[in-house]
PDB file of all heavy atoms in Angstrom:
ATOM      1  N   MET A 211       2.488 -15.118 -12.571  1.00  0.00           N
ATOM      2  CA  MET A 211       2.955 -15.090 -11.187  1.00  0.00           C
ATOM      3  C   MET A 211       1.989 -15.863 -10.302  1.00  0.00           C
ATOM      4  O   MET A 211       0.770 -15.679 -10.399  1.00  0.00           O
ATOM      5  CB  MET A 211       3.074 -13.654 -10.680  1.00  0.00           C
ATOM      6  CG  MET A 211       4.062 -12.793 -11.450  1.00  0.00           C
ATOM      7  SD  MET A 211       4.269 -11.154 -10.692  1.00  0.00           S
ATOM      8  CE  MET A 211       5.547 -10.463 -11.754  1.00  0.00           C
ATOM      9  N   GLU A 212       2.536 -16.707  -9.441  1.00  0.00           N
ATOM     10  CA  GLU A 212       1.723 -17.472  -8.496  1.00  0.00           C
ATOM     11  C   GLU A 212       2.120 -17.092  -7.078  1.00  0.00           C
ATOM     12  O   GLU A 212       3.295 -17.214  -6.707  1.00  0.00           O
ATOM     13  CB  GLU A 212       1.901 -18.969  -8.711  1.00  0.00           C
ATOM     14  CG  GLU A 212       1.010 -19.823  -7.800  1.00  0.00           C
ATOM     15  CD  GLU A 212       1.005 -21.294  -8.184  1.00  0.00           C
ATOM     16  OE1 GLU A 212       1.668 -21.662  -9.168  1.00  0.00           O
ATOM     17  OE2 GLU A 212       0.312 -22.076  -7.493  1.00  0.00           O
ATOM     18  N   VAL A 213       1.137 -16.615  -6.308  1.00  0.00           N
ATOM     19  CA  VAL A 213       1.382 -16.191  -4.929  1.00  0.00           C
ATOM     20  C   VAL A 213       0.267 -16.713  -4.034  1.00  0.00           C
ATOM     21  O   VAL A 213      -0.832 -17.002  -4.495  1.00  0.00           O
ATOM     22  CB  VAL A 213       1.456 -14.643  -4.809  1.00  0.00           C
ATOM     23  CG1 VAL A 213       2.618 -14.082  -5.612  1.00  0.00           C
ATOM     24  CG2 VAL A 213       0.137 -13.991  -5.236  1.00  0.00           C
ATOM     25  N   ARG A 214       0.564 -16.837  -2.743  1.00  0.00           N
ATOM     26  CA  ARG A 214      -0.451 -17.181  -1.751  1.00  0.00           C
ATOM     27  C   ARG A 214      -0.621 -15.990  -0.812  1.00  0.00           C
ATOM     28  O   ARG A 214       0.349 -15.458  -0.283  1.00  0.00           O
ATOM     29  CB  ARG A 214      -0.050 -18.430  -0.957  1.00  0.00           C
ATOM     30  CG  ARG A 214      -1.114 -18.866   0.059  1.00  0.00           C
ATOM     31  CD  ARG A 214      -0.724 -20.183   0.728  1.00  0.00           C
ATOM     32  NE  ARG A 214      -0.732 -21.305  -0.217  1.00  0.00           N
ATOM     33  CZ  ARG A 214       0.354 -21.923  -0.662  1.00  0.00           C
ATOM     34  NH1 ARG A 214       1.560 -21.550  -0.239  1.00  0.00           N
ATOM     35  NH2 ARG A 214       0.262 -22.919  -1.524  1.00  0.00           N
ATOM     36  N   LEU A 215      -1.880 -15.553  -0.608  1.00  0.00           N
ATOM     37  CA  LEU A 215      -2.175 -14.353   0.166  1.00  0.00           C
ATOM     38  C   LEU A 215      -2.810 -14.734   1.500  1.00  0.00           C
ATOM     39  O   LEU A 215      -3.820 -15.435   1.529  1.00  0.00           O
ATOM     40  CB  LEU A 215      -3.110 -13.437  -0.613  1.00  0.00           C
ATOM     41  CG  LEU A 215      -2.613 -13.010  -2.013  1.00  0.00           C
ATOM     42  CD1 LEU A 215      -3.640 -12.129  -2.695  1.00  0.00           C
ATOM     43  CD2 LEU A 215      -1.276 -12.289  -1.918  1.00  0.00           C
ATOM     44  N   SER A 216      -2.211 -14.277   2.601  1.00  0.00           N
ATOM     45  CA  SER A 216      -2.690 -14.612   3.939  1.00  0.00           C
ATOM     46  C   SER A 216      -2.744 -13.357   4.785  1.00  0.00           C
ATOM     47  O   SER A 216      -1.907 -12.458   4.657  1.00  0.00           O
ATOM     48  CB  SER A 216      -1.758 -15.636   4.613  1.00  0.00           C
ATOM     49  OG  SER A 216      -1.641 -16.799   3.823  1.00  0.00           O
ATOM     50  N   VAL A 217      -3.723 -13.298   5.665  1.00  0.00           N
ATOM     51  CA  VAL A 217      -3.905 -12.157   6.560  1.00  0.00           C
ATOM     52  C   VAL A 217      -3.296 -12.479   7.924  1.00  0.00           C
ATOM     53  O   VAL A 217      -3.620 -13.512   8.525  1.00  0.00           O
ATOM     54  CB  VAL A 217      -5.397 -11.810   6.715  1.00  0.00           C
ATOM     55  CG1 VAL A 217      -5.583 -10.642   7.694  1.00  0.00           C
ATOM     56  CG2 VAL A 217      -6.014 -11.482   5.353  1.00  0.00           C
ATOM     57  N   LEU A 218      -2.423 -11.613   8.399  1.00  0.00           N
ATOM     58  CA  LEU A 218      -1.832 -11.735   9.730  1.00  0.00           C
ATOM     59  C   LEU A 218      -2.422 -10.653  10.617  1.00  0.00           C
ATOM     60  O   LEU A 218      -2.433  -9.479  10.237  1.00  0.00           O
ATOM     61  CB  LEU A 218      -0.307 -11.584   9.668  1.00  0.00           C
ATOM     62  CG  LEU A 218       0.446 -12.463   8.661  1.00  0.00           C
ATOM     63  CD1 LEU A 218       1.944 -12.154   8.716  1.00  0.00           C
ATOM     64  CD2 LEU A 218       0.178 -13.932   8.922  1.00  0.00           C
ATOM     65  N   LYS A 219      -2.913 -11.045  11.783  1.00  0.00           N
ATOM     66  CA  LYS A 219      -3.510 -10.077  12.702  1.00  0.00           C
ATOM     67  C   LYS A 219      -2.410  -9.444  13.558  1.00  0.00           C
ATOM     68  O   LYS A 219      -2.290  -9.699  14.759  1.00  0.00           O
ATOM     69  CB  LYS A 219      -4.582 -10.753  13.553  1.00  0.00           C
ATOM     70  CG  LYS A 219      -5.785 -11.220  12.748  1.00  0.00           C
ATOM     71  CD  LYS A 219      -6.503 -10.032  12.073  1.00  0.00           C
ATOM     72  CE  LYS A 219      -7.706 -10.453  11.258  1.00  0.00           C
ATOM     73  NZ  LYS A 219      -8.383  -9.303  10.619  1.00  0.00           N
ATOM     74  N   ARG A 220      -1.595  -8.629  12.880  1.00  0.00           N
ATOM     75  CA  ARG A 220      -0.518  -7.916  13.543  1.00  0.00           C
ATOM     76  C   ARG A 220      -0.246  -6.640  12.751  1.00  0.00           C
ATOM     77  O   ARG A 220      -0.551  -6.553  11.567  1.00  0.00           O
ATOM     78  CB  ARG A 220       0.749  -8.767  13.622  1.00  0.00           C
ATOM     79  CG  ARG A 220       1.333  -9.172  12.288  1.00  0.00           C
ATOM     80  CD  ARG A 220       2.584 -10.013  12.457  1.00  0.00           C
ATOM     81  NE  ARG A 220       3.616  -9.296  13.187  1.00  0.00           N
ATOM     82  CZ  ARG A 220       4.698  -9.887  13.703  1.00  0.00           C
ATOM     83  NH1 ARG A 220       4.861 -11.199  13.572  1.00  0.00           N
ATOM     84  NH2 ARG A 220       5.605  -9.187  14.342  1.00  0.00           N
ATOM     85  N   ARG A 221       0.352  -5.664  13.403  1.00  0.00           N
ATOM     86  CA  ARG A 221       0.611  -4.369  12.772  1.00  0.00           C
ATOM     87  C   ARG A 221       2.102  -4.213  12.471  1.00  0.00           C
ATOM     88  O   ARG A 221       2.943  -4.498  13.325  1.00  0.00           O
ATOM     89  CB  ARG A 221       0.154  -3.232  13.701  1.00  0.00           C
ATOM     90  CG  ARG A 221       0.294  -1.833  13.102  1.00  0.00           C
ATOM     91  CD  ARG A 221      -0.133  -0.777  14.107  1.00  0.00           C
ATOM     92  NE  ARG A 221      -1.536  -0.877  14.446  1.00  0.00           N
ATOM     93  CZ  ARG A 221      -2.517  -0.280  13.783  1.00  0.00           C
ATOM     94  NH1 ARG A 221      -2.225   0.480  12.728  1.00  0.00           N
ATOM     95  NH2 ARG A 221      -3.771  -0.422  14.155  1.00  0.00           N
ATOM     96  N   ILE A 222       2.419  -3.782  11.273  1.00  0.00           N
ATOM     97  CA  ILE A 222       3.780  -3.401  10.918  1.00  0.00           C
ATOM     98  C   ILE A 222       3.756  -1.998  10.329  1.00  0.00           C
ATOM     99  O   ILE A 222       2.694  -1.490   9.948  1.00  0.00           O
ATOM    100  CB  ILE A 222       4.426  -4.399   9.930  1.00  0.00           C
ATOM    101  CG1 ILE A 222       3.662  -4.434   8.597  1.00  0.00           C
ATOM    102  CG2 ILE A 222       4.487  -5.797  10.534  1.00  0.00           C
ATOM    103  CD1 ILE A 222       4.325  -5.313   7.528  1.00  0.00           C
ATOM    104  N   THR A 223       4.922  -1.377  10.232  1.00  0.00           N
ATOM    105  CA  THR A 223       5.004  -0.008   9.724  1.00  0.00           C
ATOM    106  C   THR A 223       5.543   0.052   8.304  1.00  0.00           C
ATOM    107  O   THR A 223       5.061   0.821   7.481  1.00  0.00           O
ATOM    108  CB  THR A 223       5.893   0.843  10.650  1.00  0.00           C
ATOM    109  OG1 THR A 223       5.367   0.787  11.974  1.00  0.00           O
ATOM    110  CG2 THR A 223       5.928   2.298  10.203  1.00  0.00           C
ATOM    111  N   TRP A 224       6.567  -0.765   8.031  1.00  0.00           N
ATOM    112  CA  TRP A 224       7.185  -0.824   6.707  1.00  0.00           C
ATOM    113  C   TRP A 224       7.151  -2.267   6.201  1.00  0.00           C
ATOM    114  O   TRP A 224       6.996  -3.189   7.000  1.00  0.00           O
ATOM    115  CB  TRP A 224       8.629  -0.317   6.782  1.00  0.00           C
ATOM    116  CG  TRP A 224       8.676   1.167   6.965  1.00  0.00           C
ATOM    117  CD1 TRP A 224       8.725   1.840   8.152  1.00  0.00           C
ATOM    118  CD2 TRP A 224       8.620   2.163   5.945  1.00  0.00           C
ATOM    119  NE1 TRP A 224       8.706   3.200   7.935  1.00  0.00           N
ATOM    120  CE2 TRP A 224       8.647   3.429   6.577  1.00  0.00           C
ATOM    121  CE3 TRP A 224       8.560   2.111   4.551  1.00  0.00           C
ATOM    122  CZ2 TRP A 224       8.613   4.624   5.872  1.00  0.00           C
ATOM    123  CZ3 TRP A 224       8.524   3.305   3.839  1.00  0.00           C
ATOM    124  CH2 TRP A 224       8.557   4.541   4.493  1.00  0.00           C
ATOM    125  N   PRO A 225       7.289  -2.470   4.898  1.00  0.00           N
ATOM    126  CA  PRO A 225       7.275  -3.843   4.388  1.00  0.00           C
ATOM    127  C   PRO A 225       8.355  -4.707   5.043  1.00  0.00           C
ATOM    128  O   PRO A 225       9.450  -4.225   5.375  1.00  0.00           O
ATOM    129  CB  PRO A 225       7.539  -3.668   2.890  1.00  0.00           C
ATOM    130  CG  PRO A 225       7.035  -2.303   2.577  1.00  0.00           C
ATOM    131  CD  PRO A 225       7.365  -1.482   3.787  1.00  0.00           C
ATOM    132  N   ARG A 226       8.027  -5.967   5.214  1.00  0.00           N
ATOM    133  CA  ARG A 226       8.958  -6.957   5.734  1.00  0.00           C
ATOM    134  C   ARG A 226       8.965  -8.146   4.784  1.00  0.00           C
ATOM    135  O   ARG A 226       8.089  -8.282   3.924  1.00  0.00           O
ATOM    136  CB  ARG A 226       8.551  -7.428   7.140  1.00  0.00           C
ATOM    137  CG  ARG A 226       8.503  -6.323   8.181  1.00  0.00           C
ATOM    138  CD  ARG A 226       8.094  -6.876   9.541  1.00  0.00           C
ATOM    139  NE  ARG A 226       7.989  -5.818  10.559  1.00  0.00           N
ATOM    140  CZ  ARG A 226       7.692  -6.036  11.837  1.00  0.00           C
ATOM    141  NH1 ARG A 226       7.471  -7.283  12.270  1.00  0.00           N
ATOM    142  NH2 ARG A 226       7.608  -5.028  12.692  1.00  0.00           N
ATOM    143  N   ALA A 227       9.944  -9.020   4.970  1.00  0.00           N
ATOM    144  CA  ALA A 227      10.016 -10.239   4.170  1.00  0.00           C
ATOM    145  C   ALA A 227      10.714 -11.308   4.979  1.00  0.00           C
ATOM    146  O   ALA A 227      11.436 -11.017   5.944  1.00  0.00           O
ATOM    147  CB  ALA A 227      10.749  -9.992   2.852  1.00  0.00           C
ATOM    148  N   GLU A 228      10.479 -12.537   4.576  1.00  0.00           N
ATOM    149  CA  GLU A 228      11.070 -13.673   5.269  1.00  0.00           C
ATOM    150  C   GLU A 228      11.429 -14.735   4.244  1.00  0.00           C
ATOM    151  O   GLU A 228      10.671 -15.013   3.324  1.00  0.00           O
ATOM    152  CB  GLU A 228      10.080 -14.218   6.294  1.00  0.00           C
ATOM    153  CG  GLU A 228      10.628 -15.302   7.179  1.00  0.00           C
ATOM    154  CD  GLU A 228       9.690 -15.664   8.329  1.00  0.00           C
ATOM    155  OE1 GLU A 228       8.552 -15.157   8.365  1.00  0.00           O
ATOM    156  OE2 GLU A 228      10.111 -16.476   9.179  1.00  0.00           O
ATOM    157  N   THR A 229      12.615 -15.323   4.403  1.00  0.00           N
ATOM    158  CA  THR A 229      13.017 -16.488   3.629  1.00  0.00           C
ATOM    159  C   THR A 229      13.297 -17.614   4.611  1.00  0.00           C
ATOM    160  O   THR A 229      13.169 -17.437   5.834  1.00  0.00           O
ATOM    161  CB  THR A 229      14.270 -16.201   2.788  1.00  0.00           C
ATOM    162  OG1 THR A 229      15.395 -16.037   3.667  1.00  0.00           O
ATOM    163  CG2 THR A 229      14.098 -14.948   1.945  1.00  0.00           C
ATOM    164  N   ALA A 230      13.723 -18.752   4.125  1.00  0.00           N
ATOM    165  CA  ALA A 230      14.053 -19.857   5.028  1.00  0.00           C
ATOM    166  C   ALA A 230      15.218 -19.499   5.926  1.00  0.00           C
ATOM    167  O   ALA A 230      15.308 -19.994   7.055  1.00  0.00           O
ATOM    168  CB  ALA A 230      14.383 -21.108   4.209  1.00  0.00           C
ATOM    169  N   GLU A 231      16.094 -18.600   5.476  1.00  0.00           N
ATOM    170  CA  GLU A 231      17.314 -18.301   6.219  1.00  0.00           C
ATOM    171  C   GLU A 231      17.323 -16.947   6.904  1.00  0.00           C
ATOM    172  O   GLU A 231      18.117 -16.736   7.824  1.00  0.00           O
ATOM    173  CB  GLU A 231      18.526 -18.348   5.279  1.00  0.00           C
ATOM    174  CG  GLU A 231      18.819 -19.701   4.665  1.00  0.00           C
ATOM    175  CD  GLU A 231      17.956 -19.998   3.447  1.00  0.00           C
ATOM    176  OE1 GLU A 231      17.467 -19.025   2.829  1.00  0.00           O
ATOM    177  OE2 GLU A 231      17.767 -21.182   3.129  1.00  0.00           O
ATOM    178  N   GLU A 232      16.471 -16.000   6.486  1.00  0.00           N
ATOM    179  CA  GLU A 232      16.614 -14.614   6.952  1.00  0.00           C
ATOM    180  C   GLU A 232      15.271 -13.947   7.207  1.00  0.00           C
ATOM    181  O   GLU A 232      14.252 -14.337   6.641  1.00  0.00           O
ATOM    182  CB  GLU A 232      17.355 -13.780   5.901  1.00  0.00           C
ATOM    183  CG  GLU A 232      18.785 -14.196   5.656  1.00  0.00           C
ATOM    184  CD  GLU A 232      19.420 -13.353   4.572  1.00  0.00           C
ATOM    185  OE1 GLU A 232      18.797 -13.156   3.512  1.00  0.00           O
ATOM    186  OE2 GLU A 232      20.555 -12.877   4.789  1.00  0.00           O
ATOM    187  N   ILE A 233      15.302 -12.905   8.052  1.00  0.00           N
ATOM    188  CA  ILE A 233      14.216 -11.935   8.117  1.00  0.00           C
ATOM    189  C   ILE A 233      14.750 -10.633   7.532  1.00  0.00           C
ATOM    190  O   ILE A 233      15.940 -10.306   7.670  1.00  0.00           O
ATOM    191  CB  ILE A 233      13.663 -11.750   9.540  1.00  0.00           C
ATOM    192  CG1 ILE A 233      14.725 -11.207  10.511  1.00  0.00           C
ATOM    193  CG2 ILE A 233      13.072 -13.053  10.059  1.00  0.00           C
ATOM    194  CD1 ILE A 233      14.160 -10.826  11.878  1.00  0.00           C
ATOM    195  N   ILE A 234      13.856  -9.879   6.866  1.00  0.00           N
ATOM    196  CA  ILE A 234      14.260  -8.715   6.077  1.00  0.00           C
ATOM    197  C   ILE A 234      13.248  -7.601   6.310  1.00  0.00           C
ATOM    198  O   ILE A 234      12.037  -7.847   6.343  1.00  0.00           O
ATOM    199  CB  ILE A 234      14.299  -9.058   4.576  1.00  0.00           C
ATOM    200  CG1 ILE A 234      15.214 -10.264   4.323  1.00  0.00           C
ATOM    201  CG2 ILE A 234      14.747  -7.854   3.750  1.00  0.00           C
ATOM    202  CD1 ILE A 234      15.080 -10.845   2.915  1.00  0.00           C
ATOM    203  N   THR A 235      13.731  -6.380   6.462  1.00  0.00           N
ATOM    204  CA  THR A 235      12.857  -5.211   6.518  1.00  0.00           C
ATOM    205  C   THR A 235      13.236  -4.257   5.404  1.00  0.00           C
ATOM    206  O   THR A 235      14.389  -4.186   4.982  1.00  0.00           O
ATOM    207  CB  THR A 235      12.954  -4.502   7.876  1.00  0.00           C
ATOM    208  OG1 THR A 235      14.330  -4.227   8.186  1.00  0.00           O
ATOM    209  CG2 THR A 235      12.349  -5.368   8.975  1.00  0.00           C
ATOM    210  N   ILE A 236      12.239  -3.502   4.929  1.00  0.00           N
ATOM    211  CA  ILE A 236      12.404  -2.654   3.749  1.00  0.00           C
ATOM    212  C   ILE A 236      12.075  -1.212   4.108  1.00  0.00           C
ATOM    213  O   ILE A 236      11.028  -0.931   4.692  1.00  0.00           O
ATOM    214  CB  ILE A 236      11.466  -3.101   2.613  1.00  0.00           C
ATOM    215  CG1 ILE A 236      11.676  -4.588   2.280  1.00  0.00           C
ATOM    216  CG2 ILE A 236      11.645  -2.216   1.384  1.00  0.00           C
ATOM    217  CD1 ILE A 236      12.997  -4.918   1.670  1.00  0.00           C
ATOM    218  N   GLY A 237      12.965  -0.297   3.737  1.00  0.00           N
ATOM    219  CA  GLY A 237      12.692   1.134   3.833  1.00  0.00           C
ATOM    220  C   GLY A 237      12.660   1.751   2.451  1.00  0.00           C
ATOM    221  O   GLY A 237      13.522   1.452   1.614  1.00  0.00           O
ATOM    222  N   ASN A 238      11.669   2.597   2.198  1.00  0.00           N
ATOM    223  CA  ASN A 238      11.527   3.270   0.903  1.00  0.00           C
ATOM    224  C   ASN A 238      11.450   4.776   1.137  1.00  0.00           C
ATOM    225  O   ASN A 238      10.518   5.263   1.790  1.00  0.00           O
ATOM    226  CB  ASN A 238      10.255   2.809   0.188  1.00  0.00           C
ATOM    227  CG  ASN A 238      10.239   1.320  -0.085  1.00  0.00           C
ATOM    228  OD1 ASN A 238      11.200   0.779  -0.601  1.00  0.00           O
ATOM    229  ND2 ASN A 238       9.148   0.655   0.259  1.00  0.00           N
ATOM    230  N   ALA A 239      12.418   5.525   0.633  1.00  0.00           N
ATOM    231  CA  ALA A 239      12.441   6.972   0.846  1.00  0.00           C
ATOM    232  C   ALA A 239      13.568   7.564   0.013  1.00  0.00           C
ATOM    233  O   ALA A 239      14.374   6.863  -0.595  1.00  0.00           O
ATOM    234  CB  ALA A 239      12.649   7.301   2.316  1.00  0.00           C
ATOM    235  N   ARG A 240      13.627   8.859   0.023  1.00  0.00           N
ATOM    236  CA  ARG A 240      14.748   9.578  -0.579  1.00  0.00           C
ATOM    237  C   ARG A 240      15.043  10.771   0.305  1.00  0.00           C
ATOM    238  O   ARG A 240      14.117  11.492   0.662  1.00  0.00           O
ATOM    239  CB  ARG A 240      14.386  10.035  -1.999  1.00  0.00           C
ATOM    240  CG  ARG A 240      15.565  10.527  -2.818  1.00  0.00           C
ATOM    241  CD  ARG A 240      15.182  10.533  -4.282  1.00  0.00           C
ATOM    242  NE  ARG A 240      16.269  10.976  -5.132  1.00  0.00           N
ATOM    243  CZ  ARG A 240      16.282  10.806  -6.449  1.00  0.00           C
ATOM    244  NH1 ARG A 240      15.284  10.179  -7.040  1.00  0.00           N
ATOM    245  NH2 ARG A 240      17.276  11.238  -7.176  1.00  0.00           N
ATOM    246  N   PRO A 241      16.256  11.000   0.737  1.00  0.00           N
ATOM    247  CA  PRO A 241      17.510  10.394   0.294  1.00  0.00           C
ATOM    248  C   PRO A 241      17.701   8.967   0.804  1.00  0.00           C
ATOM    249  O   PRO A 241      16.924   8.474   1.621  1.00  0.00           O
ATOM    250  CB  PRO A 241      18.581  11.326   0.868  1.00  0.00           C
ATOM    251  CG  PRO A 241      17.938  11.886   2.098  1.00  0.00           C
ATOM    252  CD  PRO A 241      16.486  12.040   1.760  1.00  0.00           C
ATOM    253  N   LEU A 242      18.795   8.349   0.337  1.00  0.00           N
ATOM    254  CA  LEU A 242      19.057   6.945   0.626  1.00  0.00           C
ATOM    255  C   LEU A 242      19.187   6.684   2.119  1.00  0.00           C
ATOM    256  O   LEU A 242      18.758   5.633   2.612  1.00  0.00           O
ATOM    257  CB  LEU A 242      20.320   6.496  -0.107  1.00  0.00           C
ATOM    258  CG  LEU A 242      20.611   4.997  -0.145  1.00  0.00           C
ATOM    259  CD1 LEU A 242      19.560   4.262  -0.964  1.00  0.00           C
ATOM    260  CD2 LEU A 242      22.002   4.733  -0.716  1.00  0.00           C
ATOM    261  N   ASP A 243      19.768   7.632   2.863  1.00  0.00           N
ATOM    262  CA  ASP A 243      19.950   7.383   4.291  1.00  0.00           C
ATOM    263  C   ASP A 243      18.620   7.302   5.018  1.00  0.00           C
ATOM    264  O   ASP A 243      18.487   6.584   6.012  1.00  0.00           O
ATOM    265  CB  ASP A 243      20.878   8.418   4.934  1.00  0.00           C
ATOM    266  CG  ASP A 243      20.401   9.848   4.794  1.00  0.00           C
ATOM    267  OD1 ASP A 243      19.442  10.111   4.056  1.00  0.00           O
ATOM    268  OD2 ASP A 243      21.012  10.728   5.433  1.00  0.00           O
ATOM    269  N   GLN A 244      17.591   7.992   4.531  1.00  0.00           N
ATOM    270  CA  GLN A 244      16.278   7.892   5.170  1.00  0.00           C
ATOM    271  C   GLN A 244      15.663   6.513   4.939  1.00  0.00           C
ATOM    272  O   GLN A 244      15.042   5.941   5.847  1.00  0.00           O
ATOM    273  CB  GLN A 244      15.343   8.974   4.643  1.00  0.00           C
ATOM    274  CG  GLN A 244      14.023   9.048   5.407  1.00  0.00           C
ATOM    275  CD  GLN A 244      13.134  10.177   4.931  1.00  0.00           C
ATOM    276  OE1 GLN A 244      13.411  10.830   3.927  1.00  0.00           O
ATOM    277  NE2 GLN A 244      12.056  10.416   5.645  1.00  0.00           N
ATOM    278  N   ALA A 245      15.845   5.957   3.746  1.00  0.00           N
ATOM    279  CA  ALA A 245      15.376   4.592   3.491  1.00  0.00           C
ATOM    280  C   ALA A 245      16.078   3.608   4.420  1.00  0.00           C
ATOM    281  O   ALA A 245      15.457   2.690   4.970  1.00  0.00           O
ATOM    282  CB  ALA A 245      15.617   4.221   2.031  1.00  0.00           C
ATOM    283  N   LEU A 246      17.381   3.794   4.620  1.00  0.00           N
ATOM    284  CA  LEU A 246      18.131   2.926   5.541  1.00  0.00           C
ATOM    285  C   LEU A 246      17.616   3.067   6.970  1.00  0.00           C
ATOM    286  O   LEU A 246      17.501   2.076   7.701  1.00  0.00           O
ATOM    287  CB  LEU A 246      19.616   3.265   5.461  1.00  0.00           C
ATOM    288  CG  LEU A 246      20.565   2.387   6.282  1.00  0.00           C
ATOM    289  CD1 LEU A 246      21.883   2.199   5.553  1.00  0.00           C
ATOM    290  CD2 LEU A 246      20.831   2.993   7.658  1.00  0.00           C
ATOM    291  N   GLN A 247      17.281   4.278   7.374  1.00  0.00           N
ATOM    292  CA  GLN A 247      16.747   4.498   8.720  1.00  0.00           C
ATOM    293  C   GLN A 247      15.420   3.775   8.908  1.00  0.00           C
ATOM    294  O   GLN A 247      15.180   3.147   9.952  1.00  0.00           O
ATOM    295  CB  GLN A 247      16.588   6.000   8.964  1.00  0.00           C
ATOM    296  CG  GLN A 247      17.899   6.749   9.104  1.00  0.00           C
ATOM    297  CD  GLN A 247      17.757   8.246   8.912  1.00  0.00           C
ATOM    298  OE1 GLN A 247      16.646   8.771   8.770  1.00  0.00           O
ATOM    299  NE2 GLN A 247      18.885   8.937   8.882  1.00  0.00           N
ATOM    300  N   HIS A 248      14.532   3.857   7.919  1.00  0.00           N
ATOM    301  CA  HIS A 248      13.245   3.165   8.023  1.00  0.00           C
ATOM    302  C   HIS A 248      13.457   1.654   8.157  1.00  0.00           C
ATOM    303  O   HIS A 248      12.831   0.997   8.997  1.00  0.00           O
ATOM    304  CB  HIS A 248      12.389   3.441   6.785  1.00  0.00           C
ATOM    305  CG  HIS A 248      11.902   4.846   6.657  1.00  0.00           C
ATOM    306  ND1 HIS A 248      11.540   5.617   7.731  1.00  0.00           N
ATOM    307  CD2 HIS A 248      11.712   5.618   5.545  1.00  0.00           C
ATOM    308  CE1 HIS A 248      11.141   6.809   7.302  1.00  0.00           C
ATOM    309  NE2 HIS A 248      11.228   6.826   5.990  1.00  0.00           N
ATOM    310  N   ALA A 249      14.336   1.097   7.316  1.00  0.00           N
ATOM    311  CA  ALA A 249      14.570  -0.351   7.339  1.00  0.00           C
ATOM    312  C   ALA A 249      15.191  -0.783   8.665  1.00  0.00           C
ATOM    313  O   ALA A 249      14.817  -1.825   9.230  1.00  0.00           O
ATOM    314  CB  ALA A 249      15.474  -0.748   6.177  1.00  0.00           C
TER     315      ALA A 249
END
Side-chain angles (χ1 to χ4, degrees):
M211 299 186 176
E212 183 170 359
V213 297
R214 182 175 293 109
L215 304 179
S216 303
V217 178
L218 308 179
K219 294 298 180 180
R220 61 180 300 166
R221 184 182 296 272
I222 63 175
T223 303
W224 287 92
R226 300 180 182 182
E228 186 171 7
T229 69
E231 296 82 23
E232 295 178 313
I233 62 172
I234 305 168
T235 52
I236 305 293
N238 300 311
R240 192 162 181 165
L242 191 66
D243 59 351
Q244 188 177 8
L246 184 145
Q247 290 162 6
H248 292 324

